[in-house]
Amino acid sequence: MHCLYSLFFWIALGLVCFRIYLKLMTGWCRSQVCLVGKTALVTGANTGIGYETALDFAKRGATVILACRDESKARKARDNIIEETNNKNVSYGLVDFLDLACVRKFADEFNSTHTRLDILVNNAAAVRLRGVTTDGYLAAVQVNYLGPFLLTMLLLNLIVKTPSARIVNVSSSAPNYSNPLDMDLMFDGPDRTKAYYRSKFGNILFTIELASRLANTTVTVYSLHPGVVDTDIFRRLPPSWKFVMDYIVRWFMKTSLEGAQTTIYCALQKGIESYSGEHFEDCHFVSRYAPVAKSVDQGTHKLLWDKSVKLLGLDVTI
Ligand SMILES: NC(=O)c1ccc[n+]([C@@H]2O[C@H](COP(=O)([O-])OP(=O)(O)OC[C@H]3O[C@@H](n4cnc5c(N)ncnc54)[C@H](OP(=O)(O)O)[C@@H]3O)[C@@H](O)[C@H]2O)c1
Ligand SMILES: *[C@@H]1O[C@H](CO)[C@@H](O)[C@H](O)[C@H]1NC(C)=O
Ligand SMILES: *[C@@H]1O[C@H](CO)[C@@H](O)[C@H](O)[C@H]1NC(C)=O
Ligand SMILES: *[C@@H]1O[C@H](CO)[C@@H](O)[C@H](O)[C@H]1NC(C)=O
Ligand SMILES: *[C@@H]1O[C@H](CO)[C@@H](O)[C@H](O)[C@H]1NC(C)=O
Ligand SMILES: *[C@@H]1O[C@H](CO)[C@@H](O)[C@H](O)[C@H]1NC(C)=O
């Protein structure tokens, strides 16, 4: 009996130490940069990492546009941010990445009503998406990769016109644990989690290719892994996971505020411009994940770019 207690004691102590370790390893953006006069667009900003990112930009005085798909959630987020920051220059626009026509409409309106775009954060994404959209693409690939690609490309003129603008892609560490991206499978491969992996792989490759195409401009591009963050993204998991999630795993995850730090860092930290095209974790640069490096060796980033541009019928000049 005594022995059992002491076993529990050591396990509990181990878990507490592990949690302390995780908290110590969490990167924080310490930048004091002020964003008055700057415009920032954050997709999926009504909750989680996107919400904390938008809130931070608003605190720094930016004009912030929350791009969300649900009007009542968007309005609530905007009202909360205005109340908390007293920055009235916070608004929302509606965009649903499940519908590419909607993305085009949003981009058109944005382009015609704004004269600059200093920070674009491609944050919106969803897990456990199934099936095919009305546009004919796997939902996971469209929402997490192709839709944000389209949005970025349609806003690129505006971004390039804005001095020292930044594009930040919230990706994941998922590509660290997969094979190099197979272009034949990117848009037509298996559905479910595999499609999420491929879409997040696409985010990183897109960042690399776009950065190289924008090398002669003042625009810089970054991708990142936010960490394992306690957000709504996990509320889409099966109910059987819920107990484990709620009572055990959650304790070891980052809060949304912690999870947003690397996004904020990539969006405004001065001095990281030479890392354009690179990937970040915990507010520092990390070298390319092996499968990503391999894909780049194989030229997949260029194939993916060409294929995406072709599918979307874009007229690209960069
Ligand atoms: N949480 C993690 O541990 C983790 C780990 C690695 C990477 N990430 C990445 O971090 C980013 C933010 O995730 P999060 O954890 O903050 O997730 P979240 O709380 O679920 O937020 C995701 C946001 O994306 C929006 N969204 C989902 N589907 C959309 C669609 N079809 N059209 C427009 N917007 C849509 C959601 O809107 P609704 O509220 O209307 O659904 C929500 O605003 C994602 O790119 C995710 O892949 C997260
Ligand atoms: C809103 O934006 C305008 C124009 O950039 C700026 O002059 C004004 O100070 C901003 N207001 C707040 C409350 O930040
Ligand atoms: C990632 O970043 C690039 C530019 O960085 C952008 O065009 C692309 O749409 C973003 N998202 C995806 C899905 O890769
Ligand atoms: C954005 O608007 C400008 C002028 O307001 C226009 O010249 C340009 O073609 C538009 N770009 C896109 C991609 O719609
Ligand atoms: C990526 O993989 C490498 C080697 O397998 C590992 O050392 C590293 O911690 C991983 N990174 C993340 C963010 O999971
Ligand atoms: C950037 O400019 C240099 C020199 O002007 C040129 O050699 C190079 O091809 C340009 N790169 C891109 C991506 O346009």
Side-chain angles (χ1 to χ4, degrees):
M1 209 52 198
H2 178 75
C3 181
L4 205 58
Y5 280 137
S6 87
L7 181 67
F8 278 138
F9 172 79
W10 288 110
I11 289 175
L13 187 67
L15 291 177
V16 169
C17 289
F18 183 53
R19 187 171 194 248
I20 292 171
Y21 168 78
L22 289 177
K23 292 289 162 192
L24 289 175
M25 293 305 286
T26 296
W28 285 88
C29 177
R30 313 268 177 211
S31 173
Q32 302 291 318
V33 164
C34 162
L35 296 178
V36 171
K38 309 256 161 133
T39 300
L41 173 61
V42 183
T43 68
N46 56 280
T47 185
I49 295 168
Y51 176 82
E52 293 294 344
T53 302
L55 176 65
D56 180 278
F57 294 166
K59 280 184 184 155
R60 295 171 191 266
T63 293
V64 185
I65 300 92
L66 321 173
C68 309
R69 59 171 166 170
D70 180 309
E71 178 147 29
S72 68
K73 288 186 191 173
R75 194 181 314 117
K76 196 163 158 241
R78 179 203 58 187
D79 293 348
N80 286 344
I81 292 177
I82 291 178
E83 190 182 304
E84 190 161 331
T85 62
N86 215 9
N87 177 344
K88 305 268 187 316
N89 292 342
V90 181
S91 60
Y92 65 80
L94 296 178
V95 60
D96 188 343
F97 289 107
L98 280 169
D99 178 4
L100 294 180
C102 177
V103 176
R104 290 181 194 273
K105 186 162 165 275
F106 174 84
D108 258 9
E109 275 171 21
F110 194 95
N111 182 54
S112 56
T113 49
H114 291 85
T115 51
R116 61 186 305 144
L117 180 50
D118 297 271
I119 300 171
L120 167 60
V121 179
N122 286 309
N123 164 80
V127 293
R128 283 174 66 78
L129 284 170
R130 301 280 159 79
V132 174
T133 64
T134 49
D135 296 294
Y137 302 105
L138 288 175
V141 173
Q142 179 168 324
V143 168
N144 302 342
Y145 169 73
L146 200 60
F149 179 91
L150 178 62
L151 178 66
T152 310
M153 297 308 287
L154 294 176
L155 294 177
L156 208 50
N157 272 339
L158 192 60
I159 296 170
V160 171
K161 263 196 334 207
T162 310
S164 304
R166 290 189 183 188
I167 303 170
V168 180
N169 283 321
V170 183
S171 180
S172 164
S173 62
N176 200 20
Y177 304 101
S178 65
N179 294 319
L181 188 67
D182 182 341
M183 267 309 291
D184 292 336
L185 297 181
M186 177 67 193
F187 295 98
D188 306 309
D191 202 349
R192 302 229 199 176
T193 48
K194 294 240 166 65
Y196 178 81
Y197 277 32
R198 294 199 301 279
S199 71
K200 290 285 146 187
F201 212 123
N203 296 155
I204 298 181
L205 293 185
F206 184 81
T207 302
I208 293 169
E209 178 63 10
L210 187 67
S212 102
R213 287 174 181 255
L214 293 176
N216 283 351
T217 71
T218 61
V219 181
T220 54
V221 190
Y222 312 90
S223 64
L224 66 99
H225 166 56
V228 182
V229 191
D230 180 10
T231 66
D232 286 349
I233 216 163
F234 291 105
R235 261 145 245 169
R236 289 178 234 267
L237 289 176
S240 51
W241 285 49
K242 204 170 155 24
F243 178 84
V244 188
M245 281 302 303
D246 282 356
Y247 293 98
I248 303 166
V249 182
R250 179 154 293 166
W251 205 57
F252 295 102
M253 298 209 277
K254 288 185 182 182
T255 63
S256 292
L257 176 62
E258 290 168 342
Q261 293 306 308
T262 307
T263 302
I264 296 165
Y265 181 89
C266 289
L268 51 79
Q269 179 68 48
K270 291 216 162 44
I272 62 169
E273 293 81 359
S274 62
Y275 290 95
S276 183
E278 297 295 347
H279 192 69
F280 286 72
E281 291 169 10
D282 279 311
C283 299
H284 59 77
F285 152 81
V286 291
S287 53
R288 280 180 191 162
Y289 301 141
V292 171
K294 211 160 173 191
S295 295
V296 170
D297 284 347
Q298 294 167 350
T300 311
H301 56 314
K302 294 194 184 296
L303 295 176
L304 180 62
W305 174 282
D306 291 341
K307 175 106 190 238
S308 306
V309 163
K310 197 163 157 229
L311 287 173
L312 296 168
L314 292 169
D315 178 17
V316 177
T317 49
I318 58 152

